[in-house]
Amino acid sequence: MAESVSEFCPEPSADLREVRDWVHDFAATVIRPAGAEWDEREETPWPVIQEAAKIGLYSLDFFAQQWFEQSGLGIPIAFEEIFWGDAGIGLSIVGTGLAAAALASNGTSEQMGEWLPQMFGTVDDVKLGAFCASEPDAGSDVGAIRTRASYDEAKDEWVLNGVKTWATNGGIANVHVIVASVDPELRTRGQASFVVPPGARGLSQGQKFRKHGIRASHTAEVVLDDVRVPGSCLLGGKDKLDARLARVREGGRSGEQSAMRTFETTRPTVAAMAVGIARAAYEYARDYAREREQFGRKIGQNQAVAFLLADMATRVDIARLMTWRAAWMARNGRPFDQAEGSMSKLVAGETAVWVTEQAIQILGGAGYTRDHPVERFHRDAKIYTIFEGTSEIQRLLIGRAVTGLHVQ
């Protein structure tokens, strides 16, 4: 393990520091002031997304530039700042990135060239993308996906039927990426991903969920009723799929399943979101402790509060460094032999929940009201121990990696 990360240097370049400061300024002046309003409205903050598009923050160019930045730290650094501003608005801005990652991980260069621009739109006509994997009976158990893709050879079309759930931007996106089963008997090894173009007949939004946190991010069911898409919408192409399925049926290895490949790619980026929330809560509680007086002195002078802030600061730094390490490893082609991607997601998610809870404790009764943002930070943080792999699933993956055994 030590050898695999021996070249890792957690010092952002001057260019990355410039990007960090630029994104932080937008988060501080545009995102954070709007956070409480859009949390209450529980609506997609289109005006804020539009402002992000105007400065180039919400754009394919920005995501691609930071995704392929040499050190691998571009996306984690940018996402931390965005989510420091507000997690609900932040997810509305970066949610398209998950669909883009699914396309980039599984698609051909031609498919990326056609569909990635349509996920973001233009400055004057902003669009969204949605990645749809989870189902009512298939959350952590990706192998239980029932959405079916059947091939109509005569028309060279795929026909999709099923219901997806917990889809960020689901139903309101311009482009949907759907994980479906092409051979249910093979479970995850018989799945593939498909692009559903704008305006496709048979795709509709089902229930929109009212959530505990990240309320400014649209989450809904996506219903697929005989949705027909051209053969070219199968990510990776049919020849590649047929070859993979043939290997599986002959008892060979299939390679990594498309949904899991997407999740593994994005785990460090999701961890960075959690780090941003945790840092926001820590900084707010720290500043409050510097000003709030009780018994004739600042509450930060009390050991109980000072020690708690010390632990909060330490845990935020630990989560950030683990996130950066995983992102650097992924960018430099280093295998996650110890499930480092899962480690970053696990630690960052649980850190966000713990730190935001302690922030409320430091503020006392004031922290439990909506007069202060820490109660919203706490609500927003909880999802990071649940989506894109629960903490239990992350521990399962880490356990398998460190023991070399098939832990169940």
Side-chain angles (χ1 to χ4, degrees):
M1 179 178 173
E3 181 180 351
S4 68
V5 296
S6 59
E7 300 171 20
F8 173 59
C9 179
E11 178 62 31
S13 65
D15 288 344
L16 281 179
R17 293 196 297 272
E18 184 176 343
V19 169
R20 178 194 62 199
D21 294 344
W22 171 64
V23 177
H24 180 81
D25 181 68
F26 182 81
T29 59
V30 180
I31 295 177
R32 178 163 285 191
E37 175 189 351
W38 291 98
D39 176 72
E40 291 286 347
R41 293 175 64 165
E42 298 191 53
E43 297 174 359
T44 300
W46 289 106
V48 183
I49 299 173
Q50 185 76 51
E51 289 301 311
K54 286 180 181 178
I55 67 167
L57 179 58
Y58 183 79
S59 69
L60 176 57
D61 287 345
F62 176 77
F63 275 79
Q65 181 182 11
Q66 299 310 316
W67 190 269
F68 294 107
E69 188 275 330
Q70 187 173 8
S71 72
L73 302 184
I75 288 292
I77 285 174
F79 278 23
E80 178 181 333
E81 298 304 327
I82 292 171
F83 282 73
W84 173 90
D86 180 74
I89 293 176
L91 197 55
S92 288
I93 292 173
V94 310
T96 294
L98 181 58
L103 179 54
S105 297
N106 301 291
T108 65
S109 56
E110 292 79 9
Q111 289 170 328
M112 286 187 280
E114 180 176 3
W115 298 113
L116 284 175
Q118 294 190 51
M119 289 183 178
F120 290 89
T122 65
V123 173
D124 297 323
D125 187 19
V126 170
K127 303 294 185 183
L128 302 173
F131 178 63
C132 306
S134 294
E135 297 184 1
D137 296 317
S140 295
D141 183 7
V142 180
I145 283 176
R146 293 182 179 178
T147 295
R148 184 70 191 274
S150 303
Y151 184 58
D152 184 341
E153 188 170 0
K155 295 183 178 180
D156 185 27
E157 292 179 339
W158 289 91
V159 185
L160 306 178
N161 282 284
V163 177
K164 293 296 181 180
T165 194
W166 313 122
T168 299
N169 299 333
I172 65 172
N174 195 48
V175 177
H176 291 75
V177 177
I178 307 292
V179 178
S181 174
V182 296
D183 189 337
E185 293 184 0
L186 300 179
R187 288 179 61 81
T188 58
R189 296 179 297 170
Q191 294 172 1
S193 293
F194 300 83
V195 168
V196 177
R201 289 185 178 180
L203 185 147
S204 62
Q205 179 186 311
Q207 175 188 5
K208 177 183 176 180
F209 296 103
R210 300 187 66 188
K211 305 187 297 294
H212 178 63
I214 55 169
R215 294 178 179 177
S217 173
H218 176 93
T219 308
E221 291 179 330
V222 174
V223 180
L224 302 149
D225 183 11
D226 284 338
V227 177
R228 286 183 169 267
V229 299
S232 59
C233 288
L234 166 63
L235 294 188
K238 194 169 187 300
D239 289 344
K240 184 177 179 179
L241 173 64
D242 288 343
R244 177 165 64 84
L245 295 179
R247 288 197 303 272
V248 174
R249 291 170 184 141
E250 293 170 2
R253 296 180 61 85
S254 66
E256 198 173 17
Q257 191 273 332
S258 58
M260 297 311 295
R261 185 184 303 116
T262 299
F263 290 141
E264 190 62 22
T265 301
T266 59
R267 276 181 189 131
T269 68
V270 174
M273 301 175 192
V275 172
I277 299 170
R279 189 184 114 215
Y282 155 68
E283 290 179 356
Y284 195 92
R286 178 201 62 196
D287 294 346
Y288 184 88
R290 288 171 172 170
E291 299 299 326
R292 173 68 168 167
E293 290 190 7
Q294 288 285 280
F295 304 105
R297 62 181 178 183
K298 309 294 186 185
I299 65 171
Q301 292 178 271
N302 297 319
Q303 271 194 6
V305 174
F307 284 9
L308 189 52
L309 287 167
D311 286 343
M312 293 162 73
T314 300
R315 292 198 187 189
V316 171
D317 267 8
I318 289 170
R320 179 185 296 110
L321 289 172
M322 292 189 73
T323 297
W324 285 7
R325 179 187 67 170
W328 177 86
M329 291 177 69
R331 180 66 184 89
N332 288 276
R334 302 299 179 93
F336 288 162
D337 291 334
Q338 303 291 309
E340 287 89 350
S342 292
M343 285 182 178
S344 69
K345 164 71 165 57
L346 172 65
V347 170
E350 298 203 341
T351 293
V353 172
W354 185 83
V355 168
T356 54
E357 182 177 1
Q358 304 318 309
I360 293 175
Q361 193 71 21
I362 289 173
L363 269 69
Y368 198 66
T369 71
R370 295 189 182 183
D371 293 336
H372 296 273
V374 290
E375 66 84 27
R376 185 173 78 252
F377 297 160
H378 187 50
R379 287 189 286 107
D380 291 341
K382 183 55 189 171
I383 193 62
Y384 289 89
T385 65
I386 299 173
F387 73 174
E388 293 205 45
T390 64
S391 289
E392 291 74 21
I393 290 296
Q394 306 307 330
R395 287 187 169 92
L396 182 67
L397 296 172
I398 297 165
R400 288 174 179 173
V402 299
T403 64
L405 302 173
H406 187 65
V407 180
Q408 293 183 317

